[in-house]
């Protein structure tokens, strides 16, 4: 490695998020360049022994969207199941959600999230196409964390239940203060599904995934208070 690329390497593995992002931008501007490709591989492989984060997912997504065969082969070989470990205690396959998020089709990812939550709840929820708060309470910690990680890492940390939960705690658990912050209510009027929502990263923090409020706030409350997002359970 040249002096330049060893400096790039330091930045890539730096604790400073800003420095890391600059390195990522440089590397992704020409990923198949020899030194760049060496570093990108090392960076992605580091997530085999370390929790995934959105910087890793950003690199994975950019390479996944590209059309370089050598790069595609590397991803197929080392990440045949996608980037995020899709752990499920319930035996549910979350890969369609990851595929939608990789494609940046956030509306489909949101639909699939609801569908998978119905699967988690069982056959009757799949039939009725929505979930009871009492079913959400019984969701395995692992599965909700997998769903949350998917949203988190493919949104640069902007979306996900854990983000919504932090915002909810930040407004003293007052729902009416939460809705406008997430863009679910504007000038005291509910945002209309689906056209009123913003299906990309220009959305407000916590905008996605959606939880329909038609039947009240209890499902959302069950999500926000679930042990999956409660640090005291660990
Ligand atoms: N919808 O307004 N929503 C639907 C949201 C409300 C309504 C689906 C979110 C308010 C009806 C999703 C908000 C309301 C349907 C969401 C929102 C309302 C529907 C599809 C802001 C009227 C048709 C999944 C809080 C004043 C479905 C699903 C039906 C659908 C999400 C109406 C994801 C976050 C109170 C009539 N809305 N929803 O659940 O059941 O069907 O007929 O929240």
């Amino acid at each position: 490695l040249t002096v330049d690329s060893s400096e790039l390497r330091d930045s890539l593995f730096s604790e400073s998020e800003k420095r890391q992002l600059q390195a990522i931008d440089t590397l992704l501007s020409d990923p198949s360049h020899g030194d760049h490709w060496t570093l990108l591989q090392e960076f992605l492989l580091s997530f085999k022994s370390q929790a995934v984060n959105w910087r890793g997912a950003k690199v994975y997504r950019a390479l996944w969207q590209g059309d370089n065969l050598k790069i595609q082969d590397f991803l197929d070989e080392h990440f045949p199941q996608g980037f995020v470990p899709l752990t499920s205690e319930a035996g549910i396959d979350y890969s369609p959600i990851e595929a939608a998020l990789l494609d940046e089709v956030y509306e489909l990812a949101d639909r699939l999230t609801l569908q998978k939550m119905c699967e988690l709840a069982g056959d009757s929820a799949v039939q009725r196409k929505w979930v009871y708060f009492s079913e959400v309470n019984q969701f395995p910690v692992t599965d909700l964390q997998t769903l949350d990680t998917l949203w988190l890492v493919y949104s640069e940390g902007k979306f996900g239940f854990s983000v919504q939960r932090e915002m909810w705690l930040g407004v003293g658990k007052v729902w009416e203060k939460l809705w406008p912050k997430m863009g679910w209510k504007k000038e005291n009027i509910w945002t209309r599904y689906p056209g009123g929502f913003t299906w990309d990263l220009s959305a407000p923090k916590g905008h996605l995934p959606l939880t329909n409020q038609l039947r009240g706030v209890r499902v959302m409350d069950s999500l926000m208070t679930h042990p999956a997002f409660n640090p005291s359970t660990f």
Side-chain angles (χ1 to χ4, degrees):
L1 293 179
T2 63
V3 177
D4 267 8
S5 76
S6 95
E7 215 172 277
L8 207 46
R9 187 179 183 284
D10 286 346
S11 299
L12 184 61
F13 292 96
S14 154
E15 297 295 320
S16 153
E17 204 170 274
K18 197 176 161 208
R19 218 181 135 194
Q20 198 178 30
L21 271 175
Q22 281 165 351
I24 287 172
D25 282 341
T26 303
L27 293 171
L28 290 178
S29 69
D30 186 8
S32 56
H33 172 283
D35 284 346
H36 289 187
W37 179 230
T38 306
L39 290 175
L40 287 166
Q41 288 177 85
E42 185 186 354
F43 182 62
L44 284 182
L45 291 174
S46 75
F47 292 101
K48 290 194 173 232
S49 53
Q50 165 200 318
V52 295
N53 61 35
W54 67 261
R55 270 90 59 214
K58 185 187 170 83
V59 168
Y60 182 88
R61 174 149 79 182
L63 297 178
W64 183 87
Q65 288 177 344
D67 49 19
N68 181 301
L69 284 178
K70 176 183 70 177
I71 292 176
Q72 299 305 318
D73 281 348
F74 170 85
L75 297 181
D76 284 347
E77 185 186 343
H78 293 280
F79 299 92
Q81 328 259 36
F83 183 63
V84 174
L86 301 178
T87 322
S88 170
E89 206 178 304
I92 291 177
D93 176 16
Y94 296 109
S95 60
I97 302 177
E98 182 163 28
L101 290 168
L102 280 165
D103 276 336
E104 300 177 65
V105 189
Y106 288 93
E107 185 173 352
L108 176 61
D110 184 66
R111 271 280 171 188
L112 292 169
T113 300
L114 187 64
Q115 188 189 313
K116 293 296 177 182
M117 284 171 54
C118 288
E119 284 179 37
L120 264 179
D123 289 342
S124 51
V126 172
Q127 295 292 309
R128 96 174 82 88
K129 294 190 165 68
W130 49 276
V131 292
Y132 286 118
F133 74 97
S134 51
E135 293 166 333
V136 175
N137 288 338
Q138 303 304 315
F139 285 174
V141 164
T142 321
D143 288 66
L144 272 184
Q145 286 176 347
T146 295
L147 286 170
D148 186 51
T149 302
L150 279 167
W151 280 98
L152 260 178
V153 304
Y154 290 115
S155 66
E156 309 196 343
K158 191 168 206 178
F159 299 150
F161 300 122
S162 62
V163 174
Q164 295 171 344
R165 178 177 179 276
E166 285 307 313
M167 294 171 71
W168 175 65
L169 295 178
V171 296
K173 305 185 183 179
V174 179
W175 297 109
E176 289 306 319
K177 289 187 183 169
L178 183 63
W179 310 138
K181 277 193 192 295
M182 304 158 83
W184 288 12
K185 218 173 195 181
K186 288 163 207 146
E187 280 140 26
N188 219 31
I189 296 168
W190 293 110
T191 302
R192 281 186 71 140
Y193 182 83
F197 292 92
T198 305
W199 303 105
D200 58 51
L201 289 186
S202 71
K205 187 174 154 189
H207 196 58
L208 301 175
L210 300 182
T211 299
N212 193 358
Q213 298 305 312
L214 190 60
R215 296 171 197 89
V217 81
R218 285 183 302 177
V219 167
M220 188 74 180
D221 186 82
S222 299
L223 287 167
M224 301 295 95
T225 55
H226 197 281
F229 312 117
N230 190 341
S232 73
T233 48
F234 298 106

